[in-house]
């Protein structure tokens, strides 16, 4: 009996609030009968939105994924700051100098561009081998150094009930939207926290191709889950692709000598990785090493 072809690609999961990223991956693995899977960027448990899950050999592409910038819709609530900087935390400060729309708009430009941001104690970052949130839960403090992050765009889209404001953010990886909400409150003289967060884009993955866990379960029950799988190229839209010449197919598959000049002639950049295609099939990600091409990530069977 013919063995089914191993799955390789991305599931663009629409994560519900209340599940950790690891729990979502575990759920997907069970639907895939234990196949290898991993997420391409953590999303806070109480947040909802895009969580790309790498399946099979696509997990090898994490370092090559297209531009890891993220987009979010967030609601900041003025009047209360919490220890976790979101609605799940314990209030640590209160205030009633609620800012109006014009004051919020005037404050946003200071958070644009490359800025220094201090990650929250309740985060998955590690210090001396321990997660910061584990230290925080034990009542221990840690000095968390500020780090550079980039905010590409930030705008106010409207006000919401109970002294809230809706923000749309496009930022680099490693940026904490709940810290933005907390810091915005400090800048405006009114304690604040993040009330709601929806990730609308993670790199090339957006809401247009997102699938709920319920829909994935229904597909799995019918044996058609593979229909939801996006190809490995879905995460590599920024990467140039080269065709493997017929006379080099054996060398590519067997790790033999692959001359760089054959791919330079196809316009590949000598300093950047590129995809190796055989017809419509993506075989690998490769890069120049001297006068040769070396395979960095093998994807084909």
């Amino acid at each position: 009996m013919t063995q089914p072809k191993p799955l390789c690609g991305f599931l663009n999961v629409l994560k519900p609030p209340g599940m950790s990223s690891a729990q979502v991956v575990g759920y997907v693995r069970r639907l895939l009968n234990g196949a290898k899977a991993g997420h391409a960027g953590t999303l806070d448990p109480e947040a909802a939105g895009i969580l790309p899950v790498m399946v099979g050999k696509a997990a090898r592409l994490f370092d090559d994924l297209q531009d890891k910038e993220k987009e979010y819709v967030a609601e900041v609530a003025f009047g209360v700051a919490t220890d976790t900087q979101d609605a799940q935390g314990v209030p640590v400060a209160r205030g009633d100098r609620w800012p109006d729309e014009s004051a919020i708009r005037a404050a946003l430009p200071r958070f644009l561009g490359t800025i220094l941001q201090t990650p929250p104690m309740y985060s998955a970052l590690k210090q001396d081998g321990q997660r910061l949130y584990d230290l925080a839960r034990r009542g221990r403090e840690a000095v968390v150094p500020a780090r550079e992050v980039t905010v590409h765009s930030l705008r106010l889209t409207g006000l919401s009930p109970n002294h809230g404001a809706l923000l749309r953010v496009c930022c680099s990886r490693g940026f904490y939207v709940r810290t933005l909400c907390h810091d915005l409150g400090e800048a405006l003289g009114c304690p604040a926290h993040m009330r709601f967060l929806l990730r609308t884009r993670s790199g090339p993955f957006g809401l247009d191709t997102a699938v709920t866990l319920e829909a994935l379960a229904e597909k799995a029950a019918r044996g058609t889950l593979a229909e939801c799988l996006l190809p490995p190229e879905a995460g590599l839209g920024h990467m140039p692709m080269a065709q493997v010449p017929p006379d080099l197919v054996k060398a590519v598959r067997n790790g033999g000598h692959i001359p760089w000049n054959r791919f330079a002639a196809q316009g590949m950049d000598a300093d950047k990785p590129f995809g190796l295609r055989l017809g419509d099939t993506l075989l690998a990600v490769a890069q120049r090493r001297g006068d040769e091409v070396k395979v960095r990530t093998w994807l084909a069977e």
Side-chain angles (χ1 to χ4, degrees):
M1 185 172 65
T2 303
Q3 291 292 325
K5 185 178 179 181
L7 296 178
C8 177
F10 294 90
L11 290 174
N12 185 19
V13 178
L14 185 62
K15 188 187 92 64
M19 289 183 74
S20 70
S21 300
Q23 287 173 328
V24 170
V25 170
Y27 184 89
V28 169
R29 279 200 192 109
R30 289 191 291 275
L31 294 180
L32 295 172
N33 296 315
K36 184 177 181 181
H39 60 73
T42 304
L43 186 57
D44 283 351
E46 296 309 317
I50 299 301
L51 182 70
V53 175
M54 306 171 291
V55 176
K57 290 183 179 179
R60 302 173 181 179
L61 294 173
F62 181 80
D63 291 333
D64 292 312
L65 289 181
Q66 181 180 358
D67 196 357
K68 298 181 179 66
E69 71 179 28
K70 313 287 197 295
E71 287 184 359
Y72 298 91
V73 172
E75 183 183 21
V76 52
F78 294 99
V80 178
T82 71
D83 58 352
T84 59
Q85 300 181 345
D86 62 17
Q88 309 309 308
V90 176
V92 294
R94 297 182 184 275
D96 57 8
R97 296 178 57 192
W98 301 295
D100 59 18
E101 182 174 345
S102 61
I104 298 171
R105 291 188 187 279
L108 294 184
R110 73 184 69 181
F111 298 100
L112 277 170
T114 299
I115 61 173
L116 287 175
Q117 186 185 63
T118 302
M121 271 297 296
Y122 281 89
S123 67
L125 295 177
K126 286 187 176 180
Q127 191 169 95
D128 298 327
Q130 298 186 70
R131 300 283 186 186
L132 289 181
Y133 56 65
D134 288 332
L135 295 175
R137 287 165 183 162
R138 295 200 300 267
R140 294 175 56 186
E141 289 292 329
V143 177
V144 185
R147 58 183 184 175
E148 279 194 353
V149 291
T150 302
V151 179
H152 304 289
S153 64
L154 173 61
R155 60 189 179 92
L156 174 70
T157 61
L159 301 181
S160 57
N162 299 319
H163 312 294
L166 297 174
L167 304 175
R168 186 172 287 274
V169 189
C170 178
C171 54
S172 65
R173 61 183 301 189
F175 182 81
Y176 284 88
V177 180
R178 52 193 162 106
T179 298
L180 166 68
C181 295
H182 174 273
D183 293 348
L184 180 60
E186 288 198 335
L188 290 165
C190 183
H193 66 275
M194 186 182 73
R195 184 183 286 159
F196 167 81
L197 183 66
L198 172 68
R199 184 154 72 188
T200 57
R201 184 170 68 87
S202 179
F205 302 99
L207 293 173
D208 56 329
T209 57
V211 185
T212 65
L213 292 178
E214 292 81 4
L216 289 177
E218 290 177 5
K219 290 280 189 179
R222 295 199 296 267
T224 58
L225 183 56
E227 294 176 357
C228 298
L229 202 67
L230 301 174
E233 301 94 302
L236 303 176
H238 64 303
M239 187 177 288
M241 297 286 163
Q243 283 289 334
V244 178
D247 61 308
L248 290 180
V249 172
K250 185 175 180 180
V252 169
R253 289 190 177 277
N254 297 333
H257 175 69
I258 312 171
W260 161 246
N261 59 15
R262 301 290 297 278
F263 297 94
Q266 295 188 44
M268 297 301 104
D269 190 319
D271 299 320
K272 295 181 179 180
F274 57 94
L276 293 178
R277 281 185 175 279
L278 183 59
D280 294 331
T281 301
L282 178 63
L283 297 179
V285 173
Q287 192 162 6
R288 178 189 178 186
R289 292 287 184 269
D291 63 352
E292 288 188 283
V293 169
K294 295 294 185 181
V295 170
R296 286 182 13 166
T297 308
W298 183 256
L299 296 169
E301 294 305 313

